[in-house]
Amino acid sequence: MRAFELVEPATLREAAASLGADDSTIRPIAGGTAIVLMMKAGVFRPERLVSLRRIERRHAAIERTAEGGLHIGAMATLTALEHSADIRAAAPVIARMLRNHSNVRVRNVATVGGNLAHADPNMDMPPVLIALGARVTTISSDGERSIAVEDLPAGFYQTVLKPNELIAALEIPAQHARRSAYLKCTTRAAHDWPTLGIAVSLGDNDARIVISAATERPMRLTAAENEFRDPRKAAEAAADTVKIMPDARGSIPYKRQLVRVYVERALRAAMEAAS
Amino acid sequence: MSETVRTIRFTLNGETRTAQIEPHWNLVDLLTRLDLFGARESCAQGLCGCCTVIVDGTAVSGCLHLAAFADGATLSTIEDSHGLDAVQQAFIDTGALQCGFCTPGFILMTRQLLAAHPDPDDDTIRHYLAGNLCRCGAYAEIIEAVKLAAKRPKA
Ligand SMILES: Cc1cc2nc3c(=O)[nH]c(=O)nc-3n(C[C@H](O)[C@H](O)[C@H](O)COP(=O)(O)OP(=O)(O)OC[C@H]3O[C@@H](n4cnc5c(N)ncnc54)[C@H](O)[C@@H]3O)c2cc1C
Ligand code: FES
Ligand code: FES
């Protein structure tokens, strides 16, 4: 890695102001687990990194909202989520998913904001958050806005965030009687990156079914959602319609077969899950 | 290069230290320059745990952790010891190492594991240590060592 300038502002607002409006060599750094890897690989060569490590501590808080949902600061670590009693009560699927996510040391430092801004299409948490109907609140010199997690990825490693826009918080709505499940298929070890991830959130009259690690970005499988009452039919509809992107972990026919198997299993798991 | 050098202050294995660092250094770069070689970079991608360092009480992969983030922190490495503790002794007694390259990381992670789960079952041990790789394949003995350490009184 080459030398660069590191700044450590004390507030989120200052951090946003330290980012360039259209300079791709200036990036925020949170846990650093993704961006340091990209720097080591030479795919990202920063002139300046803006560390979020010293911003106000409230941006790492996990809180239950009055409506029964969750407000999670962008700097909350995955370990904090994994062990939070509020998460276990309001969205237990997140805690279950995290047990098989990366490893203890990565979870100890990786943050919610960094996880969502990274926009790697092969991740475990984004599909779960999309299924739960989560949104992020962002801040930039233009002010604040709210973006559905579903709309955050703009493609392969790309988001709709502007270069000087920071994720401030994640908002997960109250799930009421909805039941959720996430199934991760790995081909080498249980904690590996997913070869396929399927997240399901089931209501009385609808289902949200989200695919990860097989398409250009995590996305809802609407053809399967329309057949949600019959898991077998839903799985066939998903396999017939999904546009798969192959990678080192699986070819198109292999991943298509995994979709056929895992959409059915994930729907059945959600049906059996406690709400 | 020199214009980006910064001075950081931290506690290392109980001693207050200062160091001049470059912003792109990671914790392993910092520690090796201080003649500490227990945390070693192997996979360099956060996967194997050979570079494990305890920062403010939590385990991190030194290979992905900027040295600049150590400013104001308390670091503990495998060198932070006064004689062998129960975990180290259990690794020796069960033969849970061959070349020993992975051992500092496994010992540090096992201490964290036992602090969180004093009497772990196999499943808990496997999950917790899934991010540590032993190229010599001493996994069966490592799990035995963790269980043995759990049974022994803490020093
Ligand atoms: C060994 C290893 C194993 C892994 N295994 C898995 C796995 O099994 N499943 C999985 O899903 N993922 C896995 N990951 C990826 C991991 O989830 C991400 O690296 C992590 O979530 C990124 O969070 P961070 O805080 O470290 O981000 P950083 O590396 O700090 O940042 C990532 C990106 O987000 C930007 N950014 C950071 N914070 C903000 C913010 N608040 N607002 C806007 N932009 C921001 C940065 O500029 C950068 O572009 C693994 C990673 C490693 C190293
Ligand atoms: S060298 Fe850091 S985890 Fe392998
Ligand atoms: S003892 Fe050789 S790598 Fe583990």
Side-chain angles (χ1 to χ4, degrees):
Chain A
M1 285 198 290
R2 312 182 305 170
F4 51 82
E5 183 195 4
L6 179 73
V7 295
E8 300 190 290
T11 68
L12 184 67
R13 204 162 281 281
E14 273 176 65
S18 316
L19 294 163
D22 54 10
D23 186 342
S24 62
T25 67
I26 305 177
R27 295 283 309 158
I29 178 168
T33 59
I35 201 168
V36 171
L37 266 182
M38 297 184 96
M39 285 155 53
K40 283 186 157 188
V43 290
F44 174 60
R45 298 171 196 277
E47 289 297 331
R48 183 197 294 164
L49 286 185
V50 178
S51 167
L52 305 182
R53 210 167 59 96
R54 298 202 187 279
I55 67 171
E56 306 95 317
R57 289 195 56 82
R58 64 187 160 87
H59 295 297
I62 301 171
E63 290 154 345
R64 201 74 194 267
T65 62
E67 299 76 37
L70 291 158
H71 171 96
I72 303 169
M75 288 300 284
T77 64
L78 302 190
T79 292
L81 263 60
E82 184 184 2
H83 300 298
S84 156
D86 286 330
I87 299 268
R88 279 167 196 264
V93 64
I94 295 178
R96 288 197 299 267
M97 173 273 297
L98 285 172
R99 191 161 188 248
N100 287 323
H101 185 295
S102 59
N103 59 52
V104 173
R105 292 180 312 281
V106 170
R107 299 200 296 270
N108 278 348
V109 293
T111 64
V112 166
N115 186 277
L116 292 173
H118 186 41
D120 179 330
N122 304 298
M123 294 176 86
D124 293 307
M125 194 154 76
V128 172
L129 295 177
I130 292 169
L132 296 176
R135 305 181 68 84
V136 290
T137 314
T138 70
I139 176 172
S140 74
S141 49
D142 301 336
E144 293 185 15
R145 62 171 172 154
S146 165
I147 307 169
V149 174
E150 184 177 358
D151 298 329
L152 202 52
F156 203 57
Y157 288 95
Q158 308 251 302
T159 66
V160 298
L161 297 174
K162 289 172 283 177
N164 64 350
E165 186 171 18
L166 286 170
I167 296 174
L170 173 69
E171 311 287 346
I172 301 176
Q175 297 298 309
H176 304 294
R178 294 190 79 87
R179 287 165 292 168
S180 302
Y182 176 67
L183 290 191
K184 167 177 184 164
C185 172
T186 59
T187 45
R188 295 176 301 189
H191 285 235
D192 216 343
W193 289 83
T195 300
L196 177 72
I198 301 286
V200 172
S201 163
L202 206 57
D204 286 339
N205 299 307
D206 75 303
R208 289 193 287 263
I209 306 177
V210 188
I211 186 169
S212 181
T215 47
E216 192 195 34
R217 43 176 279 194
M219 58 175 75
R220 287 175 64 176
L221 295 169
T222 40
E225 290 178 355
N226 294 336
E227 303 284 355
F228 80 95
R229 287 184 203 281
D230 182 341
R232 191 77 286 270
K233 262 195 185 163
E236 292 297 341
D240 287 348
T241 52
V242 66
K243 186 164 176 288
I244 290 179
M245 243 183 41
D247 59 32
R249 291 182 203 84
S251 62
I252 293 176
Y254 179 62
K255 291 208 181 199
R256 193 176 301 286
Q257 179 59 19
L258 289 181
V259 168
R260 191 170 278 122
V261 172
Y262 276 81
V263 167
E264 179 174 356
R265 283 188 193 168
L267 261 169
R268 292 195 193 285
M271 287 170 175
E272 284 157 24
S275 61
Chain B
M1 163 164 179
S2 56
E3 67 199 54
T4 54
V5 168
R6 58 167 65 202
T7 303
I8 59 167
R9 282 175 192 77
F10 51 99
T11 304
L12 175 60
N13 297 339
E15 281 177 37
T16 308
R17 307 287 295 254
T18 59
Q20 304 262 303
I21 61 153
E22 287 281 352
H24 61 282
W25 286 7
N26 64 34
L27 282 183
V28 181
D29 296 326
L30 170 68
L31 293 168
T32 48
R33 279 162 176 98
L34 299 172
D35 285 336
L36 293 181
F37 300 99
R40 49 288 284 263
E41 196 158 325
S42 184
C43 74
Q45 342 176 9
L47 291 167
C48 77
C50 289
C51 62
T52 301
V53 179
I54 309 300
V55 179
D56 293 330
T58 44
V60 310
S61 279
C63 68
L64 296 182
H65 204 82
L66 292 185
F69 287 2
D71 196 16
T74 297
L75 309 186
S76 170
T77 69
I78 192 65
E79 289 89 351
D80 189 2
S81 70
H82 312 277
L84 301 177
D85 76 347
V87 174
Q88 288 167 309
Q89 194 58 53
F91 269 65
I92 294 169
D93 294 347
T94 53
L97 59 144
Q98 190 174 342
C99 75
F101 196 84
C102 68
T103 313
F106 269 105
I107 302 268
L108 292 172
M109 290 303 290
T110 299
R111 288 180 186 157
Q112 301 288 109
L113 159 64
L114 293 177
H117 309 275
D119 186 20
D121 58 18
D122 274 39
D123 185 57
T124 305
I125 299 171
R126 285 168 196 272
H127 266 279
Y128 205 96
L129 298 181
N132 287 69
L133 302 182
C134 170
R135 277 81 170 179
C136 296
Y139 295 109
E141 291 80 3
I142 290 168
I143 290 173
E144 221 182 298
V146 175
K147 288 183 177 168
L148 181 60
K151 282 200 212 91
R152 287 182 172 164
K154 304 287 161 296

